Amino acid sequence: EDQVTQSPEALRLQEGESSSLNCSYTVSGLRGLFWYRQDPGKGPEFLFTLYSAGEEKEKERLKATLTKKESFLHITAPKPEDSATYLCAPCSGSARQLTFGSGTQLTVLP
Amino acid sequence: NAGVTQTPKFRILKIGQSMTLQCTQDMNHNYMYWYRQDPGMGLKLIYYSVGAGITDKGEVPNGYNVSRSTTEDFPLRLELAAPSQTSVYFCASSYSETSETQYFGPGTRLLVL
């Protein structure tokens, strides 16, 4: 059974204080790992897809990396507008479905 | 493009009542999905569709039904509402199979009392 765990559950940062969010996964035949951002009362918004270990993708202050068992979302010099819940979702080859983690709620204080 | 739209935004149901959650996408996507999101939990797949006339069960289908008569629309039906169906429901779509990026609607918040 595919499993995914995100940590920490919640993270409070001061503006400019860099940190990383973790996504640990166990899937059979990874087809891709997705990162989404979700603002309160909104649907998830796509950020990145990573397909193979060693791959990295960047968007503004966010960088996502992937290993065979984990993915990290690095946030460099965050701003208050980066406050949101960040979801990761690996897609397995057997299930052909996304398995969503419960998310990390990030709060960036000014 | 409006993307994925959902109606209503919020609804209160009494136990045993029925309702249909509407979902429409204007991106000509073949694949559509219904998820539910409970507090502190990841999104769970209820049903999905790979094209008009073709649907299949996801992880948590009990208590729900779907139909897909057109490419654009994918309604979710609750026949006999139960308190356990209190949740936020998201519809999503993608151009091809699940490994492609899914685009989500704004969600429907449902409260069953």
Side-chain angles (χ1 to χ4, degrees), chain A residues 51-108:
Chain A
Y51 291 102
S52 58
E55 188 174 1
E56 298 182 354
K57 287 192 176 175
E58 290 188 60
K59 180 179 181 180
E60 295 182 356
R61 295 174 292 282
L62 301 177
K63 183 170 78 172
T65 61
L66 183 66
T67 72
K68 290 187 177 180
K69 294 184 178 181
E70 295 177 303
S71 180
F72 293 91
L73 186 64
H74 307 279
I75 303 175
T76 302
K79 298 181 177 182
E81 52 262 42
D82 295 322
S83 297
T85 295
Y86 291 87
L87 307 172
C88 78
C91 178
S92 72
S94 58
R96 293 178 174 265
Q97 297 176 7
L98 297 183
T99 301
F100 280 87
S102 55
T104 293
Q105 184 177 6
L106 174 66
T107 303
V108 182

Side-chain angles (χ1 to χ4, degrees), chain A residues 1 31-32 34 36 38 41-46 49 51 87 91 95-102, chain B residues 35 37 40-45 48 57-59 90 97-107:
Chain A
E1 182 180 333
R31 295 170 62 91
F34 295 77
Y36 284 85
Q38 186 174 24
K42 302 281 185 67
E45 178 185 347
F46 171 75
T49 310
Y51 291 102
L87 307 172
C91 178
R96 293 178 174 265
Q97 297 176 7
L98 297 183
T99 301
F100 280 87
S102 55
Chain B
Y35 293 89
Q37 186 177 39
M41 306 287 288
L43 284 87
K44 302 291 186 184
L45 183 66
Y48 66 99
K57 296 177 180 179
E59 184 180 357
F90 290 100
E97 66 179 329
T98 310
S99 60
E100 296 294 326
T101 302
Q102 294 184 18
Y103 297 88
F104 284 80

